[in-house]
């Protein structure tokens, strides 16, 4: 079975030429296997969570939001940053589902873990599957900036899979999430065989 393994090549020099509000850029001088040194610039990211919320009718909760770097409005699934180092990713996912869709879920499982762009960023994302959905208690979370223009809908899993394969849907977490759910449904044990919500996440270790 194929499995990714941790490894770290020597770094002779490092710097941080840019630090933003949530992320930064690091520049490392890395020793290559042949003894040469190469410079690798990459985004330093706190990590993220995303939620594939699947209702009893087999529909996925999706959001449509403007993303300035790509100049598109993208259909996505609820997602957000880990607010603090060591934050429990399940708690972060529950927060994002509430804030972006005013929804809560009773059944949570880990769908998959990904590095979004490992050649240029250390961002790690844990995508959860959430089921047994209902409206969250209390008032809706007050949104601002791009989220103030956000649309919320529910789409069939089949339509989302078709859209991903046709090149009509591009958001990483949505595409990975719907294809992963489709694969899990076809595997032995189905969705109930997925990892528990508190499964370890070596890319972003957290306290239980």
């Amino acid at each position: 079975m194929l499995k990714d393994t941790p490894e770290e090549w020597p770094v002779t020099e490092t710097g941080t030429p840019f630090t933003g509000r949530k992320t930064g850029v690091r520049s490392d001088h890395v020793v290559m296997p042949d003894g040469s040194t190469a410079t690798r610039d990459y985004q330093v990211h706190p990590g993220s969570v995303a939620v594939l919320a699947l209702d009893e009718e087999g529909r996925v909760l999706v959001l449509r939001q403007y993303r300035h770097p790509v100049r598109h409005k993208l259909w996505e699934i609820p997602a957000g940053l880990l607010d603090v180092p060591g934050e429990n990713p399940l708690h972060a996912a529950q927060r994002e589902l509430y804030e972006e869709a005013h929804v809560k879920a009773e059944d949570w499982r880990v769908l998959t873990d990904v590095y979004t762009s490992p050649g240029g960023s250390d961002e790690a994302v844990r995508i959860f599957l959430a089921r047994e959905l209902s409206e969250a208690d209390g008032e809706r979370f007050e949104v601002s900036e791009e989220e103030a223009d956000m649309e919320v809908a529910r789409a069939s899993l089949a339509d989302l899979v078709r859209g991903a394969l046709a090149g009509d849907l591009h958001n990483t977490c949505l595409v990975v999430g719907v294809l992963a759910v489709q694969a899990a449904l076809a595997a032995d044990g189905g969705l109930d065989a997925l990892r528990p919500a508190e499964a370890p996440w070596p890319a972003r270790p957290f306290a239980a």
Side-chain angles (χ1 to χ4, degrees), residues 84-134:
V84 294
E87 181 179 14
N88 187 307
L90 174 60
H91 299 167
Q94 291 169 333
R95 178 183 68 238
E96 294 301 328
L97 186 60
Y98 160 71
E99 290 182 356
E100 295 191 345
H102 199 67
V103 167
K104 62 182 179 180
E106 297 301 321
D107 186 86
W108 289 83
R109 297 173 191 271
V110 174
L111 184 55
T112 190
D113 299 323
V114 295
Y115 292 116
T116 55
S117 182
S121 174
D122 71 351
E123 181 184 12
V125 180
R126 168 156 281 189
I127 304 176
F128 288 90
L129 172 68
R131 294 183 292 173
E132 299 179 24
L133 310 181
S134 61

Side-chain angles (χ1 to χ4, degrees), residues 29-48:
H29 294 210
V30 186
V31 179
M32 300 288 112
D34 64 1
S36 64
T37 301
T39 302
R40 294 290 178 261
D41 301 324
Y42 58 98
Q43 181 193 34
V44 179
H45 195 284
S48 306

Side-chain angles (χ1 to χ4, degrees), residues 70-81:
V70 295
R71 308 311 198 265
H72 270 69
K73 271 193 171 182
L74 300 179
W75 284 105
E76 308 179 351
I77 56 177
L81 300 176

Side-chain angles (χ1 to χ4, degrees), residues 173-184:
C173 293
L174 183 145
V175 171
V176 171
V178 299
L179 295 179
V181 164
Q182 185 85 337

Side-chain angles (χ1 to χ4, degrees), residues 10 13 45 131 147 165 200:
E13 185 180 343
H45 195 284
R131 294 183 292 173
E147 292 184 352
L165 297 179

Side-chain angles (χ1 to χ4, degrees), residues 161-175:
V161 170
R162 280 192 291 268
L165 297 179
D168 295 329
L169 301 171
H170 304 88
N171 176 264
T172 302
C173 293
L174 183 145
V175 171

